[in-house]
Amino acid sequence: MKWLSSPTIANSLKLGGGTAIGQIVVIATTPIITRQYSPAALGLVSVFMAFVSFGAMAVGLRFDSAIPSAETEEDADYLLATTVLLSIPVAIIACIVMAMLILGRLLSYELLPLWSILPAFLILISTGTFTAFRFWHVRAANFSLISKALVSQGFARALIPVAVGIINTSWLGLLCGEIGGRIFGIARLFAGAQGRMREVVRRSNYPIFVEVIKKYKKMPLILLPSSMIDALSSAIPFPIISHFYGIEAAGLFMLSQRIVTIPAALISGSVADVFHNRISEIQRDTPEEMLAFTVKAAKKLFQAALLIYIPMAILAPFLEKIIFGSKWVGVGSIIAMLAPALIAGVVSSPISRILIVINRVERKLWYDFANLILSVASLTAAYYLGGSFMWAMAAYSLAQTAIYSFYFLVIRYTVA
């Protein structure tokens, strides 16, 4: 069997096209944003979003991840409703924790105003809702609609900060972009599912909700802790860098992350959803072909990542001042250092969906624990050994490359 059948190629292109258009707008406005906003402003957003991205993993207790491979259409509908309903109380709890971090002056969170818990609440709910609806449309193979939602989200995230930056160059403009992007994305996805949602509300049955929650209990019991650790691993560098090297260093790191993850989002984001849909079909119909499909997918992802990140790593240090301005010196070097980690991540992240499909989500914990430990250890060791911020970035990239490679081996072993 070929790695990608024609429908899979078409669906990948639909999602990839939507992601690409949204990200192209982000890329196009980045030189404007870096001249409107300071590294310190971006650093504040990075600390804020570090907590929000961590909390967003919990808002639906990960029931959303079971939607594409749910046993029945009714299960999928009730999983979507469960995720949306759970987002409100979980978001409230997360905001209380955030307030405690701010008042307790922990990990640079004292730099955030207390009122920032209000936009955090909005982003948490909107992120959980967007993810749930996206998974629901993945199951239905509504990839064109997902693509349109990604386009809307990209335009909002890119253009709102530019518009606000004309009158206010504080971090508030960047925050408005994060909120607006999610709301625009949800509006698109909800429009395509509102008929089914009305039907779910009409025939809502408490015993059915309980039955569905019990059936997919591995999601909150195993996948949720795993996802929380994974999110913490991705988020924790920002407050650690801010704590050790200052808020401006966190801003440089965030801009570098935004640039290097754009190709990863283009490749991984679109391929992951289509891979999830396709591998679910293979698991139901021809499970003996799962390993071959997964390995071939990994090879293609590796080739695509090399074509993108090798030229980026070479050119970024020479173009940083021209593209971003003199305030952002060092971003190009950070991008070059992070390239190997992103190549490894582009390979392992999309195919990790197979662990959900074959109900082996507990094995993701191996990767998640190792990732968290190495992320914190690499940055902390670099600081206490007297290393500069750039040395810390090199150590972090090395640790990330090693752990993504380990993750791929875990996935391959599990499927085999």
Side-chain angles (χ1 to χ4, degrees):
M1 183 177 71
K2 294 183 178 181
W3 171 64
L4 288 175
S5 61
S6 296
T8 309
I9 292 175
N11 290 332
S12 294
L13 290 175
K14 287 176 184 177
L15 284 180
T19 304
I21 294 172
Q23 298 295 354
I24 286 170
V25 179
V26 172
I27 293 173
T29 57
T30 296
I32 302 174
I33 288 174
T34 55
R35 286 164 174 82
Q36 287 179 312
Y37 299 95
S38 67
L42 204 59
L44 285 172
V45 174
S46 74
V47 173
F48 173 87
M49 289 304 300
F51 179 85
V52 170
S53 61
F54 170 67
M57 281 294 168
V59 290
L61 301 185
R62 302 307 290 154
F63 282 112
D64 51 354
S65 297
I67 294 173
S69 49
E71 293 180 9
T72 65
E73 295 299 325
E74 185 179 57
D75 282 2
D77 292 343
Y78 274 95
L79 284 167
L80 173 59
T82 299
T83 302
V84 174
L85 290 173
L86 285 172
S87 66
I88 298 175
V90 177
I92 292 173
I93 294 171
C95 288
I96 293 173
V97 175
M98 186 177 186
M100 293 171 64
L101 288 173
I102 295 172
L103 296 175
R105 306 180 66 83
L106 298 173
L107 287 174
S108 298
Y109 278 92
E110 70 276 7
L111 298 175
L112 300 178
L114 192 58
W115 57 258
S116 60
I117 63 173
L118 297 178
F121 179 75
L122 289 175
I123 294 177
L124 285 168
I125 291 180
S126 58
T127 301
T129 303
F130 178 84
T131 304
F133 274 100
R134 176 170 176 161
F135 275 128
W136 189 87
H137 285 292
V138 166
R139 178 183 179 85
N142 294 332
F143 297 111
S144 294
L145 184 60
I146 298 173
S147 179
K148 292 175 183 178
L150 293 172
V151 171
S152 299
Q153 190 177 67
F155 268 87
R157 289 186 64 193
L159 299 180
I160 291 176
V162 173
V164 176
I166 297 173
I167 56 175
N168 188 337
T169 58
S170 70
W171 72 301
L172 186 61
L174 298 168
L175 202 58
C176 290
E178 296 294 338
I179 297 173
R182 285 160 175 79
I183 292 175
F184 275 86
I186 291 171
R188 281 279 192 177
L189 295 182
F190 180 76
Q194 56 181 326
R196 287 281 291 276
M197 285 301 96
R198 280 198 297 265
E199 179 64 18
V200 171
V201 172
R202 187 186 65 80
R203 57 183 171 84
S204 289
N205 188 317
Y206 177 76
I208 297 180
F209 273 108
V210 174
E211 182 182 340
V212 169
I213 289 173
K214 287 181 178 179
K215 184 186 295 185
Y216 299 95
K217 62 184 178 182
K218 268 196 173 184
M219 298 301 111
L221 293 179
I222 297 176
L223 185 60
L224 176 60
S226 172
S227 299
M228 293 289 284
I229 295 169
D230 186 23
L232 183 60
S233 302
S234 300
I236 198 66
F238 294 101
I240 288 179
I241 290 169
S242 176
H243 181 71
F244 287 153
Y245 298 102
I247 196 67
E248 291 192 357
L252 293 174
F253 181 62
M254 183 177 186
L255 179 60
S256 305
Q257 283 278 70
R258 171 179 283 190
I259 298 301
V260 297
T261 55
I262 283 175
L266 175 60
I267 301 170
S268 301
S270 56
V271 173
D273 284 345
V274 178
F275 180 83
H276 197 155
N277 176 274
R278 182 73 181 113
I279 205 68
S280 297
E281 293 177 354
I282 294 174
Q283 193 266 346
R284 289 191 294 265
D285 302 329
T286 54
E288 67 278 2
E289 296 180 351
M290 293 179 72
L291 178 59
F293 184 83
T294 302
V295 171
K296 290 181 180 180
K299 290 180 180 178
K300 295 294 184 180
L301 287 166
F302 180 68
Q303 293 168 2
L306 286 178
L307 289 174
I308 293 172
Y309 282 107
I310 296 300
M312 181 183 290
I314 295 171
L315 296 175
F318 300 100
L319 299 177
E320 60 180 5
K321 285 187 180 180
I322 298 173
I323 298 175
F324 307 117
S326 58
K327 294 183 295 185
W328 300 88
V329 173
V331 166
S333 298
I334 298 172
I335 290 173
M337 284 186 276
L338 293 176
L342 268 294
I343 292 172
V346 164
V347 174
S348 60
S349 294
I351 64 173
S352 68
R353 295 282 186 91
I354 199 169
L355 298 179
I356 298 172
V357 174
I358 63 177
N359 202 22
R360 291 292 185 273
V361 291
E362 63 274 8
R363 299 207 172 179
K364 188 173 181 292
L365 284 171
W366 301 356
Y367 157 77
D368 293 325
F369 276 116
N371 191 20
L372 176 60
I373 292 169
L374 286 180
S375 296
V376 174
S378 59
L379 293 171
T380 304
Y383 176 77
Y384 282 107
L385 289 174
S388 65
F389 173 52
M390 288 301 172
W391 276 105
M393 291 292 92
Y396 176 76
S397 178
L398 181 62
Q400 288 291 292
T401 305
I403 197 59
Y404 275 127
S405 301
F406 168 73
Y407 193 25
F408 172 74
L409 294 177
V410 170
I411 295 167
R412 193 185 187 287
Y413 170 79
T414 302
V415 178

